[in-house]
């Protein structure tokens, strides 16, 4: 599912290959009604709970094998390139991000600032500001007065489906609504200089999400997915999602200890080898760089880096 | 104006304080002929866009207070002002004794900015509560909570205070052992009930922070006390720095630091225990009291 904008109007949408279907417009055109009204944001859909999800899933299935009529193009469905993608969801608290959660990333990243390449003793959670969330195809504009060390980090983002506290690890996957792609854009000198990572991770535009949220039914076991990131067409990150030190169920369990997790809450699971910080010499993103971050069965999130005041 | 979120007869409302009365903002506004209906929560009117109007309502209400829209303060239940729409920002390590632990940039200490989840918000009187097996080293700090009133992006310190809507107090509850365990601090300060704040949100025109103390009492004994502007960076410097690269929106909340780091002024450190009572306050402006209850 996605949140798209066409002719200044925001719609909740299904995506099928290269077609995008407005849920509200398609339901109206096809005379499909729902047990309860479909809200206008994906956050509200998630908050509405599993009965609505099942109803929407049935509608999705009924459209899956349809030939969309040409005369309805632009009315209730569009080509992928004919719409712009908003962030699929704006959560009610900051997305959580897990630091150093893949062994090889640890080894690469910290070889330069001597620290043993072993698993961190506990999960490291920081957050990215809600204000920093942008969607597919958004420009990420940095200001060189603030940072000159912008880096990319492809990560799997887990979208929580229901309230929970002290969630048992054995049941933790029951709390997942779906998954999306995140690029944990980082201003390295701020991340490390402030010691707490929040500011270096939360500059405007530094949390691209999307383009879609794939429900658990669509992704299957997320640990079997593959993640890849290209910068200007060159493959920089290519790794199995499932190689996490702390797996998704553990991340949910530990996060929910003493703290209520909520529908729409996002947990971003850590990045894999290949980021600019690990290179010798270190390399940073520049004006005009195009990032393409992809996770199989979810989608490809594309963003362009811009420097303020250029072009 | 002194704004509150309160409830009478189980219904939550937005109001303002006049002497010992709480006035329903929506009803007062319409009775006095102003065009303002607080549709949602307090955050929906706590913006600089409404500040002039709010002050006019405040003045008009003072002259003609009416029973239909006022309730004696002791007959209402006060709540936290609102749940912010993203995490609360905290200027970590903004105390002189933390100076040597900070890195420097452009001649200034780089504070340890971190955040607290809005799900941690607690009402006055609500128990600060956490599982004993999760943390045994919980302490509380009094902070000035700054409520942003206007979209703030790349604003210099000399201008940034004009974008503040108002101030209140927050008790920043922190699990020190979880800070060490997780390395990054956000989870350690985000347990449910770890953010008592308010209840009174005072508009910026009524407060001069440089004159005020921010204090914490533990079981009626003063444990932490310091000037509200005695940190390494002043409020204006913190807000300006954050606004460089991180847009702040109306309703966003920034905690500007505490007078002392840990231990409630005792050596060895004194951690919160069951049946403690914690009170944070900004002298003469606002205070909030919460009991402690572990489970």
């Amino acid at each position: 599912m996605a949140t798209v904008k066409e002719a200044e109007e925001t719609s909740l949408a299904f995506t099928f290959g290269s077609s995008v279907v407005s849920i509200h417009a398609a339901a109206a055109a096809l005379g499909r009604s729902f047990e309860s009204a479909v809200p206008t944001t994906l956050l509200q859909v998630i908050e509405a709970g599993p009965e609505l999800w099942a109803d929407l899933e049935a509608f999705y299935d009924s459209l899956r094998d349809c030939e969309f009529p040409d005369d309805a193009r632009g009315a209730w469905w569009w080509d992928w390139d004919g719409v712009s993608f908003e962030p699929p969801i704006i959560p009610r608290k900051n997305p959580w991000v897990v630091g150093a959660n893949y062994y090889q990333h640890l080894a690469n990243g910290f070889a330069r600032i001597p620290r043993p390449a072993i698993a961190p003793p506990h999960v490291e959670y920081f957050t990215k500001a809600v204000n920093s969330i942008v969607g597919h195809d958004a420009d990420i504009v940095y200001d060189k007065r603030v940072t000159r060390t912008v880096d990319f980090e492809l990560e799997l983002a887990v979208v929580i489906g229901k309230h929970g506290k002290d969630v048992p690890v054995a049941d933790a996957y029951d709390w997942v609504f779906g998954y999306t792609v995140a690029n944990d854009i980082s201003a390295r000198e701020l991340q490390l200089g402030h010691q707490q990572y929040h500011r270096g991770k939360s500059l405007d535009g530094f949390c691209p999400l999307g383009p879609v949220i794939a429900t658990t039914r669509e992704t299957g076991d997320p640990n079997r997915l593959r993640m890849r990131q290209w910068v200007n067409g060159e493959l920089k990150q290519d790794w199995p999602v499932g190689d996490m030190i702390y797996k998704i169920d553990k991340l949910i369990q530990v996060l929910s200890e003493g703290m209520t997790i909520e529908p729409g809450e996002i947990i971003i699971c850590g990045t894999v080898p290949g980021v600019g910080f690990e290179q010798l010499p270190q390399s940073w993103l520049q004006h005009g760089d195009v990032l393409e971050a992809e996770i199989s069965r979810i989608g490809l999130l594309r963003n362009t880096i811009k420097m303020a005041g250029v072009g | 104006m002194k704004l509150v979120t309160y409830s009478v007869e189980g219904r939550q409302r937005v109001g303002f304080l006049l002497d010992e009365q709480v006035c329903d903002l929506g009803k007062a506004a319409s009775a006095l002929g102003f065009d303002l209906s607080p549709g949602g929560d307090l955050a929906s009117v706590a913006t600089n866009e409404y500040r002039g109007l709010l002050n006019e309502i405040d003045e008009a209400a003072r002259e003609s207070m009416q029973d239909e829209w006022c309730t004696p303060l002791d007959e209402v239940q006060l709540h936290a002002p609102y749940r912010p729409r993203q995490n609360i920002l905290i200027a970590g390590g903004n105390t002189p004794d933390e100076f040597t632990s900070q890195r420097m940039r452009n001649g200034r200490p780089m504070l340890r900015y971190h955040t607290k989840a809005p799900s941690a918000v607690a009402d006055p009187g609500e128990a600060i509560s956490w599982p004993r097996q999760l943390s045994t080293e919980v302490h509380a700090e009094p902070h000035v909570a700054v409520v942003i009133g206007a979209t703030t992006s790349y604003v210099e310190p000399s201008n940034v205070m004009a974008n503040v809507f108002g101030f209140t107090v927050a008790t920043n509850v922190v699990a020190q052992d979880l800070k060490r365990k997780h390395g990054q601090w956000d989870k350690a300060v985000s347990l449910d009930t770890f953010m008592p704040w308010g209840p009174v949100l005072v508009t910026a025109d009524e407060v001069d922070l440089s004159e005020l103390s921010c204090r914490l009492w533990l079981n009626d004994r003063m444990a932490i006390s310091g000037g509200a502007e005695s940190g390494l960076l002043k409020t204006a410097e913190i807000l300006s720095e954050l606004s460089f690269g991180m847009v702040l929106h109306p309703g966003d909340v920034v905690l500007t630091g505490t007078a002392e780091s840990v231990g409630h002024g005792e050596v060895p450190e004194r951690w919160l225990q069951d049946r403690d009572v914690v009170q944070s306050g900004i002298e003469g402006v606002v205070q909030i009291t919460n009991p402690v209850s572990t489970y």
Side-chain angles (χ1 to χ4, degrees):
Chain A
M1 298 178 75
T3 306
V4 299
K5 204 169 186 180
E6 198 266 341
E8 293 306 303
E9 209 160 307
T10 303
S11 309
L12 203 56
F14 293 136
T15 61
F16 301 91
S18 61
S19 304
V20 179
V21 175
S22 160
I23 293 173
H24 287 94
L30 301 172
R32 175 70 152 88
S33 62
F34 298 93
E35 292 290 321
S36 55
V38 180
T40 54
T41 72
L42 197 34
L43 175 63
Q44 292 165 330
V45 167
I46 297 172
E47 288 175 338
E51 282 175 26
L52 178 66
W53 308 346
D55 214 356
L56 284 171
E57 212 153 58
F59 185 39
Y60 177 89
D61 288 342
S62 74
L63 292 167
R64 189 195 285 271
D65 301 315
C66 275
E67 189 82 6
F68 301 133
D70 251 350
D71 58 2
R73 187 199 304 253
W76 57 264
W77 73 278
W78 307 280
D79 291 321
W80 184 278
D81 295 334
V83 295
S84 63
F85 284 81
E86 302 278 295
I89 189 167
I90 301 290
R92 295 190 195 276
K93 63 169 109 163
N94 288 8
W96 298 92
V97 190
V98 178
N101 200 29
Y102 287 81
Y103 286 102
Q104 190 61 41
H105 175 58
L106 259 179
N108 288 352
F110 295 105
R112 300 176 49 83
I113 44 172
R115 186 164 146 177
I118 53 170
H122 297 284
V123 188
E124 183 180 84
Y125 298 102
F126 58 90
T127 77
K128 292 175 90 76
V130 170
N131 290 349
S132 71
I133 296 173
V134 292
H136 177 63
D137 268 339
D139 289 344
I140 299 165
V141 184
Y142 72 97
D143 187 314
K144 67 179 194 309
R145 290 175 293 174
V146 177
T147 178
R148 292 162 189 256
T149 53
V150 180
D151 204 355
F152 56 88
E153 292 192 0
L154 163 61
E155 307 188 21
L156 176 75
V158 177
V159 182
I160 296 296
K162 59 179 179 177
H163 286 96
K165 190 169 175 177
D166 302 316
V167 171
V169 70
D171 303 334
Y173 279 102
D174 295 347
W175 266 261
V176 179
F177 174 81
Y179 301 93
T180 187
V181 181
N183 223 335
D184 176 16
I185 307 298
S186 307
R188 298 297 189 193
E189 78 276 68
L190 298 182
Q191 177 192 345
L192 299 174
H194 287 291
Q195 303 182 62
Q196 294 294 309
Y197 296 169
H198 176 73
R199 183 172 178 234
K201 298 280 193 172
S202 295
L203 298 182
D204 299 336
F206 272 31
C207 188
L209 288 179
V212 305
I213 292 176
T215 60
T216 52
R217 193 187 69 157
E218 304 301 310
T219 59
D221 178 0
N223 293 296
R224 302 176 65 130
L225 305 179
R226 185 105 194 155
M227 52 212 283
R228 291 190 181 84
Q229 170 138 264
W230 296 262
V231 179
N232 302 326
E234 186 183 336
L235 185 63
K236 295 286 193 182
Q237 297 188 284
D238 183 6
W239 211 257
V241 168
D243 197 33
M244 295 174 200
I245 295 170
Y246 296 105
K247 310 286 193 214
I248 293 163
D249 49 0
K250 182 75 175 169
L251 299 179
I252 293 171
Q253 181 226 324
V254 175
L255 185 65
S256 71
E257 285 173 346
M259 190 196 80
T260 304
I261 55 170
E262 302 170 331
E265 187 154 342
I266 292 173
I267 306 170
I268 300 176
C269 299
T271 200
V272 297
V275 301
F277 180 69
E278 296 163 3
Q279 311 304 316
L280 280 170
Q282 294 178 325
S283 68
W284 311 123
L285 293 169
Q286 307 294 331
H287 178 80
D289 283 348
V290 177
L291 306 177
E292 290 173 295
E294 182 180 59
I295 301 179
S296 52
R297 302 180 79 97
I298 302 175
L300 186 149
L301 172 68
R302 181 178 58 212
N303 298 93
T304 303
I305 301 290
K306 294 276 170 72
M307 190 170 82
V310 178
Chain B
M1 191 179 236
K2 295 178 170 61
L3 288 153
V4 292
T5 300
Y6 70 106
S7 52
V8 273
E9 292 154 6
R11 249 199 68 204
Q12 198 154 306
R13 303 153 194 272
V14 177
F16 58 102
L17 301 187
L18 277 187
D19 306 323
E20 293 301 303
Q21 302 278 316
V22 184
C23 306
D24 183 308
L25 179 61
K27 284 187 188 165
S30 91
L32 297 165
F34 292 97
D35 182 21
L36 177 81
S37 51
D41 59 4
L42 177 45
S44 65
V45 290
T47 76
N48 288 4
E49 188 187 345
Y50 287 130
R51 206 155 67 181
L53 187 58
L54 290 171
N55 280 338
E56 285 177 42
I57 294 170
D58 198 38
E59 265 175 42
R62 255 169 226 288
E63 281 164 21
S64 56
M65 200 152 69
Q66 284 159 26
D67 287 345
E68 296 98 83
W69 38 266
C70 286
T71 314
L73 189 53
D74 55 14
E75 291 174 23
V76 309
Q77 193 187 350
L78 294 174
H79 300 290
Y82 58 92
R83 177 183 155 138
R85 43 171 289 289
Q86 68 165 3
N87 285 30
I88 295 97
L89 277 149
I90 305 173
N94 190 26
T95 60
D97 62 336
E98 290 275 350
F99 180 70
T100 53
S101 71
Q102 318 276 8
R103 305 230 165 90
M104 300 292 285
R105 192 186 198 215
N106 302 332
R108 292 204 324 188
M110 297 181 83
L111 301 183
R112 293 181 169 123
Y113 294 114
H114 61 289
T115 74
K116 189 188 280 284
S119 46
V121 164
D123 285 340
E126 186 176 349
I128 297 166
S129 186
W130 70 94
R132 272 185 298 273
Q133 68 177 64
L134 185 60
S135 173
T136 55
E137 296 184 9
V138 175
H139 87 125
E141 305 167 348
H143 284 245
V144 174
V146 179
V147 172
I148 302 297
T151 302
T152 303
S153 183
Y154 294 92
V155 182
E156 296 292 341
S158 52
N159 296 327
V160 77
M161 296 308 282
N163 287 10
V164 172
F165 177 80
F167 302 98
T168 186
V169 73
T171 303
N172 180 23
V173 186
V174 182
Q176 290 295 336
D177 42 3
L178 293 185
K179 271 188 171 179
R180 287 196 305 274
K181 178 176 164 183
H182 294 297
Q184 295 292 307
W185 296 350
D186 305 71
K187 173 72 201 291
V189 301
S190 291
L191 303 188
D192 291 353
T193 71
F194 272 27
M195 170 80 180
W197 75 305
V200 183
L201 173 56
V202 184
T203 49
D205 55 291
E206 296 190 20
V207 180
D208 178 0
L209 283 184
S210 65
E211 300 284 311
L212 299 176
S213 294
C214 192
R215 291 184 175 143
L216 181 126
W217 291 264
L218 184 55
N219 304 325
D220 291 328
R221 186 185 59 79
M222 195 193 293
I224 300 177
S225 174
E229 287 285 30
S230 63
L232 291 173
L233 296 186
K234 303 278 179 270
T235 303
E237 294 173 301
I238 292 168
L239 300 180
S240 171
E241 174 168 61
L242 291 172
S243 84
F244 271 73
M246 275 174 66
V247 63
L248 298 171
H249 289 298
D252 285 345
V253 179
V254 182
L255 309 189
T256 55
T258 191
E260 290 162 41
S261 31
V262 286
H264 300 119
E266 292 189 23
V267 180
E269 289 127 347
R270 202 294 197 179
W271 307 114
L272 294 183
Q273 298 162 6
D274 254 335
R275 292 185 291 280
D276 278 345
V277 175
V278 176
Q279 184 173 65
S280 296
I282 302 172
E283 188 184 17
V285 177
V286 54
Q287 57 188 29
I288 186 165
T289 306
N290 298 81
V292 173
S293 154
T294 58
Y295 62 93

